[in-house]
């Protein structure tokens, strides 16, 4: 996917529908932007994490102030919370982020990152997630080995009962963990994939 209604000028990296309003779609991009669209109305942009930077143009341009959409590192994965108040993301700088989307569709057009330490700690412990595809975060700390060198997890997915987490990696392996898996070096089962590098994984609807 390259763009949604020309909203993104760079490739879209992940898409997830709202838990209770299936016409609302969240999208992450290589530009580091998290944006939410209404798919019923030609993918109207409802809210964005884009920061506006005002730069004074050269005097001869006569343009005055210039507004530029800015992001951070590419957002590679995203998940909605069950109550649709928060979205969690992984980015290309190996950071796990939380975003306040409580006012999306209710007159709010700006998506803000949650950085308050106490709020983040509360989200880690108390938030129920609609899905889980992030490879970083409190509930998947068990993916990190205690002694071995991390090989890198390409993708993760939790089954419908939220009891089992599947992950895949660049070594061609599929791992199954209990979910949540919060302690580094968690026990798991390992299976060989069908290629040297397994890039993604999903459970079927019936697990």
């Amino acid at each position: 996917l390259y763009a949604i209604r020309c909203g993104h000028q760079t490739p879209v990296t992940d898409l997830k529908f709202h838990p209770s309003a299936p016409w609302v779609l969240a999208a992450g991009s290589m530009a580091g932007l998290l944006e939410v669209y209404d798919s019923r109305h030609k993918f109207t942009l409802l809210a964005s994490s884009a920061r506006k930077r005002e730069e004074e143009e050269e005097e001869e341009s006569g343009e005055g102030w210039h507004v530029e959409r800015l992001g951070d590192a590419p957002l590679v994965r995203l998940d909605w919370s069950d109550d649709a108040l928060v979205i969690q993301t992984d980015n290309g700088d190996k950071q796990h982020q939380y975003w306040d989307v409580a006012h999306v569709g209710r007159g709010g057009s700006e998506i803000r990152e949650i950085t308050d330490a106490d709020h983040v700690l509360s989200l880690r412990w108390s938030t129920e997630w609609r899905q889980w595809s992030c490879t970083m975060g409190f509930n998947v700390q068990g993916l990190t080995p205690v002694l071995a060198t991390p090989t890198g997890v390409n993708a993760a997915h939790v089954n419908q009962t939220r009891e089992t987490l599947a992950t895949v990696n660049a070594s061609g392996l599929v791992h199954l963990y209990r979910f949540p898996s919060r302690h580094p070096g968690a026990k798991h089962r390992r299976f060989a994939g069908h290629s040297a590098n397994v890039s993604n994984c999903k459970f079927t609807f019936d697990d």
Side-chain angles (χ1 to χ4, degrees):
L1 293 173
Y2 190 77
I4 299 177
R5 198 181 155 272
C6 300
H8 287 282
Q9 301 304 315
T10 56
V12 173
T13 52
D14 200 4
L15 297 167
K16 295 286 170 57
F17 283 100
H18 190 286
S20 57
W23 57 88
V24 176
L25 180 66
S29 76
M30 289 296 290
L33 298 179
L34 175 62
E35 297 189 329
V36 178
Y37 297 86
D38 184 345
S39 64
R40 297 175 303 178
H41 300 97
K42 299 181 179 180
F43 290 96
T44 301
L45 180 64
L46 298 177
S48 174
S49 66
R51 297 193 302 273
K52 292 181 179 179
R53 184 181 67 187
E54 294 181 328
E55 294 181 339
E56 192 170 10
E57 301 283 355
E58 296 181 3
E59 292 183 3
E60 61 270 18
S61 69
E63 298 274 334
W65 293 88
H66 173 65
V67 179
E68 181 182 357
R69 291 157 57 107
L70 295 175
D72 293 310
L75 298 184
V76 293
R77 285 172 284 272
L78 68 90
D79 300 301
W80 288 89
S81 62
D82 259 351
D83 55 16
L85 299 179
V86 178
I87 289 177
Q88 65 173 359
T89 61
D90 289 342
N91 72 20
D93 285 343
K94 299 188 182 301
Q95 295 174 326
H96 189 69
Q97 299 165 290
Y98 299 97
W99 305 86
D100 182 358
V101 290
H103 301 292
V104 171
R106 304 173 190 172
S109 61
E110 185 175 1
I111 300 174
R112 292 183 177 273
E113 183 181 359
I114 299 170
T115 57
D116 178 75
D118 290 336
H119 194 175
V120 169
L121 185 62
S122 175
L123 290 172
R124 288 176 178 174
W125 281 103
S126 61
T127 304
E128 294 290 334
W129 298 96
R130 180 67 172 180
Q131 300 171 319
W132 191 288
S133 62
C134 289
T135 62
M136 293 176 280
F138 183 60
N139 285 337
V140 291
Q141 291 182 137
L143 307 186
T144 304
V146 175
L147 299 177
T149 301
T151 56
V153 177
N154 288 338
H157 193 238
V158 171
N159 69 345
Q160 296 294 328
T161 61
R162 305 185 194 185
E163 296 176 344
T164 305
L165 174 75
T167 70
V168 293
N169 63 26
S171 299
L173 298 176
V174 179
H175 292 181
L176 291 181
Y177 294 82
R178 293 186 184 276
F179 185 82
S181 182
R182 296 170 175 165
H183 302 288
K187 293 182 179 180
H188 58 275
R189 293 187 178 183
R190 185 171 64 176
F191 306 88
H194 298 286
S195 66
N197 176 37
V198 184
S199 60
N200 207 347
C201 65
K202 298 289 182 184
F203 282 96
T204 58
F205 75 97
D206 56 359
D207 290 340

